[in-house]
C-alpha cells in the first residue's frame, strides 16, 4: 500500500517536471563536464521518476553498507600501521603497495580527532579514514543488490538529491504529507557531526580546487548547509605545522577540519606532486602532527582501488568475523594465473576495467570490441595484469526515465550511490544519488559521462517513522539554517567578489534603465539620438548598423562592455559566495543570467527588447533580499559600497543632476559608516581613487571633493594583502582605463 501511494506521488511529479527543472535552473544546480579539453558548466539533468526502495529492503541494505564501510575503515587503519592483513596472507602485499592510491607518506599516521570504535583484529583502535563513503550499487533483475565500487576518496553527489527533495516537497506538499518517505534532510547535520567529532582545535573549511571543478556547486552548497567556510587553496597556509584560514585583512584563523574536495596527488605540493598549483604547502605535515583532521583521509585510494574491491568480502570476514551481507560482482584478477586465463578466454563476455581510472572512464565491454581490438586489449592485460580487473556483466534493472524530447517513458540503466557517514557512529543516509544513462541501453551511468540523476525515496516502515532523530534535533536544524558567516571568515578574494558583485549588478541595472529612454528616442527620430548613450559609456560612436550595435551592447558575451558581460560577471562572483549569501538569494542572479541568455536567442525580435526589464527586476529582488537577510551587516556593506560607487560612476557619465546624485552619495556614506575603523580591501580604495580622478573632467568637482573625504579616511586602513588568484572575475570593465 505504501509503495503504491509513493508511485502515485511519483506520477504527480512527472506532471510537474518542468516546474522542478525550472527551480533547479534558477538555483544553479550544476555538474560541470569536460569535453574535448573544454569545461562546460551545465545544469545537471534531472528526471522526476524517483527510485523507490521499500523500507525492509533498505534496512537490509543499511546493515550491509555499515558492515562494508566499517571493514574498509579497519583495512585502511591496518595497512597504514600493523599490516596484519598482509602478514596473514589475506591480501597479497603486491596489491597493496602497487595501488596508485597507496601513499607511503601517510604510513604510520593515525588520523586525528575522535577514536574509531574498536574492531576485532586491529589493535589499538585508530582514527577514521573514510568519513564519507560513496558506495555504488546496482540491483539485478532478480532483485539482489550488487556493490560495483567503493568510493572513499572524495565521493560527490549527495547535494543533488538533497536539493531536489526540497523542491519536490514544495511542489506537492499534500502528497508528501500523505506518503511516508524517510526524511533526507539530515545529511548536512550528519556530515557536520562527523567533522566536529574528528576536529582538532579550529574552524571547519570545505577546500575546493576552484570555481571550474565539476562539482563546485556541491562544494559551495555543502559549505552553506554545514556552516563551514568555503576555502580556496590560496586561502589556507601552514605555520608551525598548524593550518590557518586567512581573512581579507591577513588575520589567521586556526583550522581544525579540512573537508577536502581535491585529489590526494594535488593536496600538498611538498608531499605529493610538486607541480600542483591547487594544493596547500605543508598541509600533510600538519596532518601528520595531529594538528588538523582531513576529511576524507589522504591515502584512502588504497582501499577503493578496483583491484582491492576483489578482497572486500575477505576483509569483512577477517576484521569483523561476519559473512558479507552485500554481494560483490563476480570479479577476476589477471594477476592470478587462473583468473587471467579465464579473462582471456572470455573477453567477449566480460567487462574490463582499468583500475587507475574513475568516472566511467577505462571501462570496456568486451562484447563491443571487434577481434582486433580484443586482441590488443588482451596484449595489454598480459603486459600489465595488475592494471586491470574483469567482471561478469550484471544485467541490472531498468528504471523509467521521461524522455525530455517526447515526454514518453524510456527505460534506462541506473545505479545507486549510497552515502555512509562515519563519526562517533556509522550512519547510512536515508536517500542516495540514482544516476541514469543518457543513452537507452547504455550501461555506463556516470555523471561525468553525461548521465542525469533522480531522487531516491526510501519508504518509511509501517509505524510511520520518517527519520531517526527526535523533535529537538529537527528544531535545532531549523535554527541552524539561520547561521551566517561573519566578516572574520571573508578572504581577500571573497572581499573582491562581494565588491564586484555589487558593481556588476548595479552596472547591469543602471545601463539597462538608461538604455530604454535612448532607445525610445531612436524610434521617434533617428540613430543619432543614441550616440550620447554610447559616448557616456565609452562605447564606439561610429556605428553604421544600429540594430547590430544594440545587439552587441545587450547580448554579445564576447564584448566586455555588454549587459550580458555585466550579468555574467555578477554571476561568476555570486556563485562563489553561496555559503555567505545563501542559495535563496543567489537564485536572483541565476535568474538574471537565464533571462539574458534566453533573450540573446531572440535578439532579432525587436518586440522582445523590453523583456530585458526582467533583469532589472531580478537585481532589485537580489538587493532587497540581501538587505532584509541575516547576512552579516559588514558583508552587506562590501556589496553596497561597490554598488553605489558604480552608480555614482554611471550617473556622472550620463550627466545626472546634483539632486539626483544625493541619494547614492548618502547610501555610500551610510554603508561606509558600518566599516568605520575596520581594515578595508584594496579594491575599495582603488576604485574610489580612480573615480575621484575622473569626476572633475565630467563636471562633478563637488562630488569628487565629497568622495575624497572617504578616500582620506581609508588611508592607513587598506589591506594590501595580495590576492593570488582572482580568476579574472573583475576584469570586465567599461573601458581599458578603468581599474
Amino acid at each position: 500500500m505504501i509503495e503504491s501511494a509513493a508511485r502515485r506521488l511519483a506520477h504527480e511529479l512527472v506532471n510537474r517536471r518542468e516546474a522542478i527543472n525550472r527551480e533547479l535552473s534558477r538555483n544553479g544546480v550544476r555538474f560541470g563536464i569536460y569535453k574535448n579539453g573544454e569545461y562546460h558548466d551545465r545544469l545537471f539533468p534531472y528526471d522526476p521518476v524517483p527510485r523507490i526502495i521499500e523500507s525492509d529492503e533498505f534496512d537490509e541494505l543499511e546493515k550491509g553498507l555499515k558492515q562494508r564501510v566499517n571493514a574498509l575503515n579497519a583495512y585502511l587503519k591496518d595497512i597504514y600501521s600493523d599490516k596484519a592483513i598482509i602478514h596473514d596472507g589475506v591480501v597479497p602485499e603486491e596489491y597493496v603497495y602497487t595501488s596508485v592510491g597507496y601513499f607511503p607518506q601517510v604510513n604510520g599516521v593515525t588520523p586525528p580527532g575522535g577514536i574509531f570504535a574498536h574492531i576485532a583484529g586491529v589493535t589499538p583502535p585508530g582514527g577514521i579514514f573514510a568519513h564519507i563513503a560513496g558506495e555504488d550499487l546496482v540491483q539485478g533483475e532478480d532483485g539482489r543488490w550488487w556493490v560495483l565500487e567503493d568510493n572513499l576518496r572524495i565521493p560527490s553527489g549527495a547535494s543533488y538529491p538533497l536539493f531536489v527533495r526540497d523542491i519536490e516537497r514544495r511542489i506537492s506538499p499534500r502528497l508528501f504529507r500523505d506518503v511516508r518517505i524517510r526524511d533526507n534532510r539530515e545529511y548536512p547535520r550528519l556530515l557536520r557531526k562527523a567533522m566536529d567529532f574528528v576536529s582538532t582545535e579550529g574552524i571547519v573549511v570545505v577546500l575546493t580546487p576552484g570555481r571550474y571543478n565539476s562539482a563546485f556547486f556541491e562544494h559551495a552548497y555543502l559549505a552553506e548547509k554545514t556552516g563551514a567556510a568555503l576555502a580556496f587553496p590560496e586561502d589556507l597556509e601552514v605555520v608551525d605545522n598548524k593550518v590557518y584560514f586567512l581573512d581579507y585583512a591577513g588575520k589567521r584563523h586556526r583550522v581544525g577540519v579540512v573537508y577536502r574536495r581535491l585529489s590526494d596527488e594535488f593536496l600538498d605540493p611538498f608531499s605529493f606532486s610538486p607541480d600542483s598549483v591547487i594544493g596547500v604547502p605543508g598541509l600533510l605535515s600538519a596532518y601528520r602532527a595531529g594538528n588538523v583532521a582531513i576529511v576524507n583521509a589522504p591515502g584512502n585510494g588504497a582501499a577503493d582501488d578496483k583491484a582491492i574491491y576483489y578482497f572486500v568480502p575477505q576483509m569483512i570476514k577477517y576484521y569483523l568475523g561476519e559473512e558479507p551481507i552485500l554481494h560483490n560482482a563476480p570479479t577476476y584478477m589477471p594477476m592470478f594465473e587462473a583468473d587471467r586465463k579465464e579473462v582471456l578466454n572470455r573477453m567477449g563476455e566480460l567487462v574490463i576495467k582499468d583500475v587507475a581510472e574513475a568516472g566511467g572512464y577505462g571501462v570496456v565491454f568486451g562484447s563491443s570490441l571487434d577481434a582486433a581490438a580484443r586482441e590488443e586489449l588482451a596484449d595489454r592485460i598480459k603486459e600489465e595484469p595488475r592494471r586491470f580487473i574483469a567482471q561478469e556483466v550484471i544485467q541490472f534493472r531498468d528504471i523509467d526515465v521521461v524522455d525530455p524530447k517526447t515526454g514518453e517513458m524510456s527505460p534506462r540503466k541506473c545505479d545507486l550511490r549510497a552515502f555512509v557517514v562515519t563519526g562517533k557512529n556509522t550512519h547510512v543516509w536515508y536517500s542516495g544519488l540514482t544516476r541514469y544513462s543518457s543513452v537507452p541501453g547504455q550501461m555506463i551511468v556516470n555523471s561525468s559521462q553525461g548521465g542525469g540523476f533522480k531522487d531516491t525515496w526510501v519508504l518509511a516502515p509501517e509505524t510511520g517513522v520518517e527519520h531517526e532523530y527526535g523533535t529537538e534535533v529537527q528544531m535545532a536544524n531549523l535554527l541552524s539554517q539561520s547561521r551566517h558567516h561573519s566578516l572574520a571568515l571573508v578572504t581577500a578574494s571573497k572581499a573582491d567578489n562581494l565588491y564586484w558583485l555589487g558593481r556588476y549588478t548595479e552596472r547591469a541595472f543602471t545601463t539597462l534603465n538608461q538604455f530604454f529612454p535612448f532607445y525610445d528616442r531612436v524610434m521617434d527620430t533617428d540613430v543619432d539620438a543614441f550616440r550620447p548613450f554610447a559616448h557616456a559609456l565609452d562605447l564606439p560612436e561610429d556605428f553604421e548598423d544600429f540594430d547590430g550595435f544594440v545587439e552587441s551592447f545587450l547580448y554579445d558575451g564576447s564584448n566586455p562592455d555588454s549587459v550580458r558581460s555585466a550579468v555574467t560577471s555578477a554571476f561568476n562572483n555570486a556563485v562563489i559566495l553561496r555559503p555567505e549569501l545563501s542559495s535563496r538569494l543567489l537564485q536572483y542572479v541565476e535568474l538574471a543570467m537565464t533571462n539574458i541568455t534566453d533573450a540573446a536567442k531572440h535578439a532579432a525580435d525587436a518586440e522582445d527588447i523590453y523583456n530585458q526589464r526582467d533583469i532589472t527586476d531580478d537585481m532589485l529582488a537580489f538587493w532587497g533580499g540581501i538587505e532584509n537577510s541575516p547576512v552579516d551587516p559588514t558583508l552587506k556593506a562590501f556589496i553596497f559600497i561597490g554598488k553605489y560607487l558604480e552608480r555614482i560612476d554611471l550617473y556622472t557619465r550620463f550627466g545626472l543632476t546634483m539632486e539626483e546624485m544625493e541619494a547614492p552619495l548618502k547610501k555610500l556614506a551610510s554603508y561606509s559608516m558600518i566599516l568605520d575603523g575596520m581594515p578595508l580591501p584594496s579594491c575599495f580604495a582603488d576604485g574610489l581613487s580612480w573615480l575621484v580622478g575622473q569626476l572633475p573632467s565630467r563636471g562633478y568637482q563637488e562630488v569628487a571633493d565629497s568622495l575624497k573625504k572617504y578616500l582620506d579616511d581609508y588611508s592607513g586602513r587598506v589591506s594590501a594583502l595580495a590576492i593570488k588568484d582572482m580568476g579574472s572575475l573583475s576584469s570586465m570593465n567599461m573601458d581599458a582605463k578603468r581599474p
Side-chain angles (χ1 to χ4, degrees):
M1 186 189 306
I2 296 176
E3 184 176 3
S4 60
R7 296 196 183 282
R8 287 196 299 273
L9 171 56
H11 181 74
E12 172 69 17
L13 292 179
V14 169
N15 296 333
R16 305 294 298 276
R17 66 185 184 278
E18 290 185 8
I20 297 172
N21 275 302
R22 188 164 56 248
E23 284 297 309
L24 290 171
S25 175
R26 72 182 288 169
N27 284 282
V29 182
R30 290 176 167 79
F31 187 92
I33 58 174
Y34 283 89
K35 191 172 183 179
N36 299 324
E38 294 183 359
Y39 177 80
H40 298 271
D41 194 15
R42 62 161 197 162
L43 292 172
F44 197 177
Y46 161 78
D47 184 76
V49 182
R51 178 194 288 277
I52 299 175
I53 304 177
E54 295 185 32
S55 179
D56 291 345
E57 184 179 13
F58 187 83
D59 288 345
E60 190 68 12
L61 266 180
E62 183 176 27
K63 293 175 187 175
L65 289 167
K66 286 182 178 180
Q67 179 194 64
R68 192 175 182 96
V69 171
N70 284 341
L72 287 164
N73 260 310
Y75 172 74
L76 285 163
K77 161 60 184 171
D78 187 15
I79 63 167
Y80 285 117
S81 58
D82 297 337
K83 301 174 177 55
I85 200 166
I86 298 173
H87 299 322
D88 291 341
V90 179
V91 178
E93 64 178 346
E94 60 267 28
Y95 276 94
V96 177
Y97 301 135
T98 59
S99 170
V100 294
Y102 180 83
F103 286 101
Q105 297 94 320
V106 293
N107 194 44
V109 179
T110 298
I115 300 300
F116 188 62
H118 176 72
I119 294 177
V122 181
T123 56
I128 304 164
F129 283 77
H131 312 81
I132 307 148
E135 298 294 308
D136 291 347
L137 308 105
V138 295
Q139 189 172 26
E141 297 283 5
D142 60 359
R144 288 194 297 174
W145 287 92
W146 301 81
V147 179
L148 290 187
E149 288 186 6
D150 307 286
N151 297 280
L152 309 177
R153 284 171 282 187
I154 43 174
S156 64
S159 62
Y160 302 103
L162 179 66
F163 200 101
V164 80
R165 179 74 62 84
D166 197 43
I167 297 172
E168 291 170 348
R169 293 174 70 95
R170 284 165 171 74
I171 288 288
S172 299
R174 179 183 58 79
L175 289 171
F176 267 93
R177 286 197 302 269
D178 296 340
V179 179
R180 305 303 294 181
I181 299 169
R182 298 196 201 188
D183 196 341
N184 78 341
R185 288 172 287 188
E186 294 293 341
Y187 187 79
R189 193 187 73 86
L190 291 174
L191 179 57
R192 181 60 192 245
K193 280 192 69 176
M195 292 191 292
D196 287 344
F197 180 68
V198 300
S199 178
T200 62
E201 178 186 350
I203 65 172
V204 176
V205 301
V206 176
L207 176 60
T208 176
R211 161 77 177 83
Y212 297 106
N213 181 269
S214 60
F216 180 77
F217 163 77
E218 175 160 287
H219 305 170
Y221 184 64
L222 291 180
E224 174 193 357
K225 299 301 285 185
T226 60
L230 182 66
F232 296 88
E234 63 268 20
D235 300 331
L236 302 180
E237 72 172 3
V238 177
V239 179
D240 295 331
N241 275 347
K242 295 181 178 65
V243 181
Y244 293 93
F245 177 92
L246 294 174
D247 69 20
Y248 77 97
K251 184 179 178 181
R252 296 188 180 112
H253 303 265
R254 177 78 183 275
V255 175
V257 178
V258 175
Y259 176 19
R260 53 74 173 253
R261 297 302 298 256
L262 64 161
S263 300
D264 288 0
E265 55 268 33
F266 302 114
L267 199 56
D268 180 350
F270 287 175
S271 300
F272 300 112
S273 173
D275 298 328
S276 173
V277 295
I278 58 172
V280 180
L283 178 59
L284 193 67
S285 294
Y287 172 70
R288 289 180 63 91
N291 293 329
V292 69
I294 299 178
V295 175
N296 279 330
N300 277 13
D304 68 9
D305 183 315
K306 290 182 176 67
I308 296 301
Y309 163 92
Y310 178 89
F311 299 101
V312 175
Q314 290 96 306
M315 290 179 201
I316 293 170
K317 297 174 185 177
Y318 180 76
Y319 292 118
L320 307 181
E322 300 171 358
E323 287 297 318
I325 298 171
L326 298 177
H327 306 282
N328 261 25
T331 304
Y332 304 97
M333 305 286 282
M335 280 278 284
F336 300 144
E337 184 177 353
D339 282 13
R340 185 166 61 252
K341 289 180 180 178
E342 183 82 8
V343 172
L344 296 175
N345 289 336
R346 300 179 57 213
M347 288 281 289
E349 304 171 33
L350 303 174
V351 56
I352 316 297
K353 296 182 179 181
D354 187 327
V355 302
E357 296 284 359
Y361 296 98
V363 177
V364 177
F365 287 84
S367 58
S368 68
L369 303 177
D370 59 25
R374 285 183 199 171
E375 185 174 350
E376 181 184 352
L377 181 56
D379 289 340
R380 292 172 61 199
I381 291 172
K382 293 173 188 175
E383 291 173 7
E384 299 180 87
R386 171 63 176 85
R387 183 174 172 177
F388 299 94
I389 64 169
Q391 293 177 330
E392 300 286 355
V393 177
I394 298 174
Q395 295 302 324
F396 50 99
R397 286 180 176 175
D398 290 329
I399 297 181
D400 280 339
V401 170
V402 180
D403 189 304
K405 295 180 180 178
T406 66
E408 300 295 323
M409 292 294 185
S410 173
R412 303 287 176 86
K413 299 299 181 186
C414 296
D415 75 353
L416 169 66
R417 174 164 291 182
F419 290 88
V420 184
V421 181
T422 302
K424 184 177 181 180
N425 299 297
T426 300
H427 295 276
V428 178
W429 183 37
Y430 287 162
S431 188
L433 177 70
T434 292
R435 300 175 296 183
Y436 63 88
S437 64
S438 57
V439 179
Q442 180 175 288
M443 301 287 281
I444 298 176
V445 301
N446 299 73
S447 313
S448 54
Q449 299 291 303
F453 83 100
K454 297 168 169 283
D455 194 4
T456 303
W457 293 357
V458 179
L459 300 184
E462 293 288 350
T463 57
V465 176
E466 196 176 0
H467 46 74
E468 60 178 310
Y469 304 104
T471 306
E472 72 285 351
V473 172
Q474 294 300 312
M475 287 300 296
N477 284 347
L478 292 173
L479 292 172
S480 71
Q481 291 178 14
S482 66
R483 182 194 295 119
H484 57 270
H485 289 66
S486 69
L487 181 63
L489 296 183
V490 173
T491 61
S493 61
K494 285 196 174 183
D496 244 59
N497 295 141
L498 289 160
Y499 169 78
W500 284 104
L501 176 58
R503 294 203 70 157
Y504 282 121
T505 51
E506 175 64 33
R507 187 172 302 177
F509 177 84
T510 295
T511 52
L512 275 173
N513 277 343
Q514 293 296 320
F515 166 79
F516 291 122
F518 281 102
Y519 189 79
D520 287 341
R521 291 173 204 161
V522 168
M523 289 189 291
D524 292 339
T525 56
D526 57 46
V527 296
D528 288 334
F530 204 80
R531 299 191 195 281
F533 178 85
H535 177 77
L537 297 179
D538 294 327
L539 301 173
E541 300 174 47
D542 57 348
F543 51 84
E544 297 179 2
D545 182 349
F546 175 68
D547 290 332
F549 171 81
V550 170
E551 181 178 344
S552 174
F553 170 68
L554 288 177
Y555 308 120
D556 185 359
S558 64
N559 173 12
D561 302 327
S562 70
V563 172
R564 186 172 184 177
S565 288
V567 174
T568 300
S569 295
F571 169 80
N572 285 336
N573 283 282
V575 293
I576 291 169
L577 298 166
R578 189 180 297 272
E580 289 78 15
L581 303 182
S582 83
S583 295
R584 184 180 64 82
L585 293 176
L586 294 194
Q587 67 178 300
Y588 297 114
V589 183
E590 292 270 2
L591 278 172
M593 184 73 172
T594 300
N595 285 334
I596 193 73
T597 302
D598 290 346
K601 298 175 183 176
H602 308 288
D605 300 328
E607 61 269 23
D608 287 341
I609 198 76
Y610 283 101
N611 288 343
Q612 298 303 314
R613 288 180 295 188
D614 291 342
I615 295 172
T616 60
D617 292 344
D618 296 332
M619 298 309 174
L620 288 171
F622 173 68
W623 293 329
I626 291 289
E627 189 61 80
N628 290 287
S629 74
V631 171
D632 190 290
T634 50
L635 300 189
K636 296 178 185 178
F638 278 35
I639 294 175
F640 286 110
I641 285 176
K643 165 181 159 57
Y644 287 109
L645 275 178
E646 185 72 20
R647 179 166 290 190
I648 292 167
D649 182 6
L650 293 171
Y651 276 17
T652 57
R653 284 171 175 267
F654 287 117
L656 273 63
T657 66
M658 281 302 300
E659 183 180 2
E660 292 169 299
M661 297 296 300
E662 288 182 6
L665 284 168
K666 288 180 179 178
K667 285 287 189 178
L668 181 63
S670 65
Y671 283 106
S672 295
M673 287 178 63
I674 294 174
L675 301 181
D676 187 34
M678 296 181 181
L680 297 168
S682 58
C683 57
F684 289 13
D686 290 345
L688 188 56
S689 177
W690 180 87
L691 185 56
V692 167
Q694 298 295 310
L695 291 177
S697 64
R698 299 179 189 174
Y700 290 91
Q701 183 64 53
E702 184 180 345
V703 177
D705 292 340
S706 296
L707 295 182
K708 182 71 164 53
K709 295 177 183 177
Y710 297 125
L711 189 60
D712 293 340
D713 180 55
Y714 289 165
S715 299
R717 296 199 287 125
V718 175
S719 169
L721 187 68
I723 299 173
K724 302 176 186 176
D725 180 16
M726 276 305 300
S728 72
L729 297 185
S730 60
S731 65
M732 297 182 184
N733 303 297
M734 287 290 184
D735 61 76
K737 299 176 184 177
R738 301 184 69 185

